[in-house]
Amino acid sequence: MFGMKALFLPKTSMSDAGNGLHLHFSFKDNNGNDEFSDRTRQNGISAKGESFIEGILHRLPSLLSISMPTVNSFRRIGPGCFTGHRVEWAFEDKEVPIRVAANLTTGEATTVEYKLADSSANIYLQLAMILSAGMEGIKSGRILRPKSEGDCVASDETNLTIERIPKSLQESLNFLKCDDFLQATMGNELDTAYVAVRQFEITETESKTLEEEVAIAFRKA
């Protein structure tokens, strides 16, 4: 239509930031009252909220193979790309993968934003896996790691203590293969099929240039 085509590729040009699908989560009790923020705590986040965030961070390397399921997806990650490139969180910082958003008027924490997702993923599967990781964090009472401070675009050489995000689909898929919790959550049949499909994706596309990926997407659109 109008000479335009929708490609749904996360990355079409190395000079642009790319296309993501950012997901926001918060909690309310049965009466609709906020259970994510807690101004009496150091981070202004409830204990459940902190454990939920840590549950996601703990499994982030594995989760990326589900929320960023193509070789092209990983072209979008890097310093200055509004995605984050290390396993970390912060308040109102668009250069971390897990961002806690705040009410601009009150300063209260409102939602946790998961930024490393895109439209090439199955929305139902990625939501189920991210929520499961967060809920496991709550059930296990995981303690939230300190928030990132300062320049989150700084090179990895200046932040050697912070785990970096997998740089490829293969690397993330290797984490998933070792993640007993996510594998059990998916179930053996789905997990086996999912890994096989993603391995085929890698075989078919890892050697292609970005320009070749875009050309193929145009032909299929």
Side-chain angles (χ1 to χ4, degrees):
M1 182 178 290
F2 304 110
M4 307 291 286
K5 289 185 176 182
L7 302 186
F8 299 102
L9 279 178
K11 194 80 167 180
T12 58
S13 170
M14 293 309 294
S15 61
D16 297 326
N19 303 294
L21 179 68
H22 297 184
L23 306 169
H24 287 257
F25 303 93
S26 62
F27 315 118
K28 294 183 183 297
D29 63 20
N30 292 334
N31 296 317
N33 299 312
D34 173 41
E35 284 203 341
F36 182 70
S37 65
D38 185 345
R39 303 193 75 169
T40 66
R41 295 174 58 83
Q42 181 178 1
N43 289 318
I45 306 170
S46 68
K48 285 183 179 179
E50 289 191 353
S51 293
F52 181 83
I53 294 170
E54 184 58 34
I56 294 174
L57 287 168
H58 180 68
R59 302 191 183 280
L60 189 59
S62 303
L63 286 170
L64 296 190
S65 65
I66 298 169
S67 63
M68 295 175 50
T70 67
V71 171
N72 181 274
S73 297
F74 284 79
R75 296 186 187 276
R76 192 170 67 90
I77 293 180
C81 293
F82 306 110
T83 59
H85 59 293
R86 297 184 295 267
V87 181
E88 58 188 343
W89 75 281
F91 276 97
E92 290 297 351
D93 192 320
K94 297 184 183 298
E95 287 295 342
V96 294
I98 305 298
R99 177 180 75 99
V100 173
N103 184 301
L104 295 180
T105 302
T106 65
E108 289 184 328
T110 55
T111 66
V112 54
E113 178 187 23
Y114 181 101
K115 305 181 70 174
L116 293 176
D118 61 51
S119 59
S120 66
N122 181 306
I123 186 64
Y124 305 105
L125 181 60
Q126 66 176 320
L127 282 174
M129 293 301 101
I130 295 168
L131 286 169
S132 294
M135 292 301 294
E136 187 278 331
I138 293 176
K139 291 178 181 178
S140 300
R142 293 190 181 278
I143 304 301
L144 181 61
R145 66 195 69 188
K147 64 179 178 291
S148 180
E149 302 280 4
D151 184 7
C152 293
V153 186
S155 66
D156 288 329
E157 285 73 17
T158 61
N159 292 273
L160 297 177
T161 61
I162 303 178
E163 180 185 4
R164 68 170 177 80
I165 285 172
K167 294 183 177 180
S168 68
L169 176 57
Q170 184 65 71
E171 187 178 349
S172 180
L173 197 62
N174 290 341
F175 276 102
L176 178 62
K177 292 175 182 178
C178 299
D179 194 317
D180 293 339
F181 173 78
L182 289 184
Q183 287 181 319
T185 302
M186 293 175 73
N188 182 66
E189 186 175 358
L190 176 57
D191 174 62
T192 301
Y194 186 83
V195 170
V197 171
R198 297 278 65 86
Q199 284 292 172
F200 180 77
E201 156 78 17
I202 293 169
T203 300
E204 288 293 298
T205 61
E206 68 176 344
S207 64
K208 289 181 171 57
T209 65
L210 176 58
E211 291 72 22
E212 289 173 328
E213 287 180 323
V214 173
I216 293 171
F218 265 115
R219 288 199 299 268
K220 292 181 177 181

